Amino acid sequence: MKTLSAALLLCLPMIAQAADSPLAASTEKEKKVCRSEESTGSLFVKRVCHTKTEWAALDIEGQRSAEHIQNQSRGNGVDIPR
């Protein structure tokens, strides 16, 4: 019983700190959105879950990568950073 109470007392500051963190608060409020993604060479569909803001960031990064590849394939060598 003493060991359990000692462990609890040691963990309380970490739990309180995690609850006060703005990052923890923002992720708890946002719901997860799941998408099914197909992998090249695999017959299985993978389910990936992120928040809406994370999906938006991933979509923007994907668009930038596609634009970069298209600009390189045109041979103009101009890659406009955004």
Side-chain angles (χ1 to χ4, degrees):
M1 186 68 177
K2 288 182 182 181
T3 307
L4 179 63
S5 60
L8 184 61
L9 287 175
L10 289 174
C11 292
L12 282 177
M14 291 184 286
I15 294 170
Q17 183 181 13
D20 293 338
S21 171
L23 180 60
S26 66
T27 57
E28 287 178 10
K29 292 179 185 176
E30 291 189 55
K31 284 187 171 182
K32 295 276 185 173
V33 178
C34 297
R35 293 184 186 174
S36 298
E37 292 187 353
E38 296 178 7
S39 299
T40 304
S42 176
L43 298 175
F44 297 103
V45 178
K46 184 177 173 184
R47 192 160 176 85
V48 181
C49 300
H50 293 287
T51 62
K52 285 184 179 182
T53 53
E54 291 172 339
W55 278 122
L58 289 169
D59 289 341
I60 290 171
E61 185 177 336
Q63 289 173 354
R64 286 183 182 165
S65 295
E67 288 175 2
H68 176 74
I69 290 169
Q70 288 173 348
N71 286 336
Q72 282 185 336
S73 67
R74 290 185 189 129
N76 60 6
V78 178
D79 188 21
I80 303 169
R82 293 184 183 191

